[in-house]
Amino acid sequence: MRVYGVVGWKNAGKTGLMERLVAEISARGFSVSTIKHAHHSFDVDHPGKDSHRHRQAGATEVLLSSGTRWALMHELRGHEEPPLELLLSKLAPVDLILVEGYKRDDHPKVEAFRAETGNSLIAPGDPTIRAVAADTALEVEGRPVFDLNATARIADFILREVGL
């Protein structure tokens, strides 16, 4: 399975870069899935809906299905957050899985960086970060630096890295 990540501090441009990369790589004919890590509690369900009522009643998993899509919600109910490797195994096979977040995991990554956030670069101390996409001119020893909005060039780099 080909996996490539997009990491960076809050407001660094990760989600926008992910969105552009999915569109670019999909337009080239490759199938792409994504995993997004959230550092906070989130809910994709709505109170009062049948699926929410099932979860509130204690269901560990609730699968919603329609003629358009299906979604599986899994409640941890106090258990540890599953590792990325387990989550990856739950996805159907595709050409590439792009992962937003999970900066401490071992898969290769590109770091999104915006100078205005005032954060330091992660890349210098992390060999899994293979390139940086920044909104300002930077030099990172041994790694290419792309303009944050150079989506096609970043996609070219990622696709070469994963052998597509």
Side-chain angles (χ1 to χ4, degrees):
M1 187 173 315
R2 294 173 177 100
V3 176
Y4 215 91
V6 173
V7 297
W9 300 115
K10 184 178 181 182
N11 296 320
K14 298 180 301 292
T15 301
L17 179 56
M18 283 281 291
E19 181 180 12
R20 293 188 308 274
L21 286 171
V22 170
E24 176 72 24
I25 295 169
S26 295
R28 295 182 188 193
F30 295 106
S31 57
V32 181
S33 289
T34 65
I35 291 181
K36 159 77 172 122
H37 188 255
H39 290 285
H40 48 80
S41 180
F42 67 91
D43 205 338
V44 295
D45 209 358
H46 302 285
K49 295 293 185 182
D50 293 349
S51 54
H52 187 268
R53 292 171 60 193
H54 296 182
R55 287 176 42 226
Q56 293 302 106
T60 298
E61 290 188 328
V62 176
L63 192 144
L64 293 163
S65 182
S66 73
T68 308
R69 72 186 53 89
W70 66 270
L72 176 64
M73 292 175 283
H74 182 98
E75 291 294 316
L76 293 176
R77 305 252 182 246
H79 290 54
E80 292 286 320
E81 180 180 355
L84 177 59
E85 186 175 313
L86 177 64
L87 298 174
L88 288 167
S89 74
K90 298 198 177 286
L91 295 177
V94 292
D95 295 318
L96 177 64
I97 299 172
L98 291 174
V99 177
E100 182 178 342
Y102 289 95
K103 66 177 149 277
R104 291 177 182 82
D105 284 74
D106 290 334
H107 58 282
K109 306 165 190 79
V110 61
E111 178 179 357
F113 179 82
R114 281 196 179 129
E116 70 186 33
T117 66
N119 292 313
S120 60
L121 277 169
I122 301 166
D126 186 343
T128 67
I129 296 176
R130 309 290 288 265
V132 175
D135 68 347
T136 189
L138 294 173
E139 286 197 25
V140 180
E141 189 176 337
R143 300 187 207 147
V145 177
F146 299 98
D147 182 285
L148 185 58
N149 294 309
T151 307
R153 290 186 60 222
I154 298 166
D156 289 341
F157 175 81
I158 291 171
L159 292 172
R160 273 194 312 274
E161 286 266 297
V162 300
L164 289 174

